[in-house]
Structures are given as structure tokens and as C-alpha cells.
Amino acid sequence: MRRSPLTWLGAAAWLIAANASALAAQQSRSVFLEDYTWPELRDAIAAGATTAIVFSGSVEESGPHLALGKHNLRARAYAERIARTLGGTLVAPIVPAAPTGPDLMRFPGTLNVRPEVFAEYNADIARSLAAAGFKTILLLGDHGGDQAPLQALAPRLDAELAPRGVHVYFIGDGYAKATAEIEALAASRHLRGAGHGGLWDTAELWAVAPSAVRPALFAAGDTSSATLDARGISGDPRPATPELGREFGDIRVRDAVAQIRALLAAPRAP
């Protein structure tokens, strides 16, 4: 029996709609591990989601105008963007506390974790992810105190887990390299006031979590030194805007993704 052109058109339209629906479902599926049940996670790994991001933040003061969870809010936003850009990648729960040092501990709400404790906490998360079936584990941090412990941890964990076919990488470009680029961009626009609780610190948080920023309390700190003033800042948040924060966030995500892709493409020593 011959089908009418309308029948074929209807079938084609149904296929297009079905494919679009499937693509939308795939794109909207959470990348956060804690949103999955264990069978769902098992199936996602079996289907190719074998890369895991372990992103550390911090709970710390950043002046009267920024919420204590600044780093955790940014880490979650950036981790999601990185995971979706890479594909086949899920995000472990954000590590919420980190080494902050005595200077920040002068202010209520700062949580300070010893570097060795912080490193071993990350290590145990990575070991758990390896046991679940992940083959690539990426360690990142949004806070300065995260960087050195994670950088030292990655090769140690990689050597430990490599016999099981699991590799661990420290991804620092989204922090150090991106920060240098952000500060150069700001300088090219004659914007000043980096520092703790300053320009990019404030702008980036404003872009991802507006309710965590108190614009009415913006005031300049001492931008000539890294010493915190009585309010806990050393920068100037006044030039910050959410639009700037989105630009800065794009740089962080781009640099992190580029480093990840380069590391994964590089041949490994036998």
C-alpha cells in the first residue's frame, strides 16, 4: 500500500521531534553525581561517562559584601560548565572546606582545614570514584589554598591508581593561568582592584550567584598590598559587574577545558 505524502511528512516530523526531545533530555541530564541513584550511575559509566571532576572550594570571609560560600558557589557553576563542555564527565560533590590560613581565621565563618587533611579527603574521594568505575579523575580548586595540596596529590594518586587503569590529573590553569589573564584583561580596560574580595572575586560570584553579593556594601580596600583591612578585603569590588563576571568565568572554563584536553591527548609514559 502506498503511503500519502502527508503520511511520510508526518513520520518525518515525528522523527525530528523525537530526536530533538532525546537531545534535550541528554543536555538537561544532571552532571552532578549526587543526583543519580546507584543503578543510574552504573549505567552512565557503562555508557561512557568515565571522567569525574573533583572540584574543591572553600568557606571563608571575603569582606562584608560576599557570602562565605563564594568559592563553593563558583566551583559548582564552573564544574558544571566544564563537564558539559567535555562530555562523558560527571561532577563529584564540591569539596566545601580547604586550607585558608590564620589571616582569614580572624573573621567569623572561615573554615580552616589542615593541608594534609584536605589532601587525604580529596584522595579518598578519588579512590571511591575509581572503585565506582571512573577512569579519569580531574582535581580542580577555586581557592588559592587548594592549589598546592592538589598539585602534589595528583601524581601520587595517579601512581597508586594507574595499575587499575585510572589516571588522575591536577588542573590548575582554570585558577592560576586564568587569573593572570583576567587581571591583564581588567588592566587593559583600566579597571583596578583585584585582591581578596575585590574586582574579579566579586564579579565572578555576582555572575553565578547574585543573591550571595551585597552591592550596597561595596567599598574599596587597600589595593596597594595583599594585607587584609579590618573588613577582610584587600581589593576594590566597586568596578565589578555580573557582565564582567561572566567574561571572567568564560576565561576560567576555557583555560581549564583546554588544559584537560591537552593532558588527555598527550601520550603517557608506559
Side-chain angles (χ1 to χ4, degrees), residues 48-134:
T50 58
T51 296
I53 290 173
V54 183
F55 213 132
S56 294
S58 178
V59 172
E60 64 185 55
E61 76 81 25
S62 298
H65 59 290
L66 298 182
L68 294 163
K70 167 192 77 178
H71 285 298
N72 295 337
L73 293 165
R74 292 198 312 229
R76 185 175 173 89
Y78 296 156
E80 179 172 15
R81 290 185 60 188
I82 292 166
R84 292 197 183 280
T85 301
L86 292 173
T89 302
L90 298 179
V91 180
I94 302 302
V95 177
T100 57
D103 205 18
L104 299 183
M105 284 293 291
R106 296 186 289 121
F107 301 89
T110 298
L111 304 181
N112 183 47
V113 177
R114 286 169 289 155
E116 64 273 19
V117 173
F118 172 75
E120 284 309 309
Y121 186 76
N122 273 272
D124 278 347
I125 291 174
R127 293 181 184 112
S128 299
L129 293 169
F134 289 98

Side-chain angles (χ1 to χ4, degrees), residues 1-234:
M1 182 178 65
R2 293 184 60 189
R3 297 182 182 271
S4 71
L6 289 177
T7 302
W8 288 114
L9 285 172
W14 181 88
L15 283 172
I16 291 170
N19 287 336
S21 178
L23 179 61
Q26 181 181 1
Q27 290 175 337
S28 65
R29 183 73 183 264
S30 175
V31 296
F32 294 102
L33 182 146
E34 65 259 45
D35 292 336
Y36 288 69
T37 66
W38 76 259
E40 291 168 348
L41 181 61
R42 175 201 59 199
D43 294 347
I45 293 170
T50 58
T51 296
I53 290 173
V54 183
F55 213 132
S56 294
S58 178
V59 172
E60 64 185 55
E61 76 81 25
S62 298
H65 59 290
L66 298 182
L68 294 163
K70 167 192 77 178
H71 285 298
N72 295 337
L73 293 165
R74 292 198 312 229
R76 185 175 173 89
Y78 296 156
E80 179 172 15
R81 290 185 60 188
I82 292 166
R84 292 197 183 280
T85 301
L86 292 173
T89 302
L90 298 179
V91 180
I94 302 302
V95 177
T100 57
D103 205 18
L104 299 183
M105 284 293 291
R106 296 186 289 121
F107 301 89
T110 298
L111 304 181
N112 183 47
V113 177
R114 286 169 289 155
E116 64 273 19
V117 173
F118 172 75
E120 284 309 309
Y121 186 76
N122 273 272
D124 278 347
I125 291 174
R127 293 181 184 112
S128 299
L129 293 169
F134 289 98
K135 297 300 182 184
T136 301
I137 299 172
L138 309 171
L139 305 180
L140 297 88
D142 189 68
H143 165 61
D146 300 341
Q147 307 304 307
L150 295 179
Q151 187 171 19
L153 174 63
R156 176 165 65 85
L157 265 181
D158 186 74
E160 174 189 326
L161 298 174
R164 296 160 55 181
V166 178
H167 293 293
V168 181
Y169 301 90
F170 168 65
I171 308 302
D173 282 3
Y175 184 82
K177 180 181 179 182
T179 297
E181 293 177 7
I182 287 166
E183 292 184 353
L185 175 62
S188 73
R189 298 179 183 177
H190 307 290
L191 297 171
R192 297 291 187 268
H196 187 74
L199 170 63
W200 56 261
D201 219 3
T202 300
E204 289 183 64
L205 181 61
W206 209 350
V208 302
S211 65
V213 179
R214 317 287 191 262
L217 299 178
F218 286 3
D222 181 1
T223 58
S224 65
S225 84
T227 302
L228 300 181
D229 66 15
R231 294 163 303 142
I233 69 171
S234 62

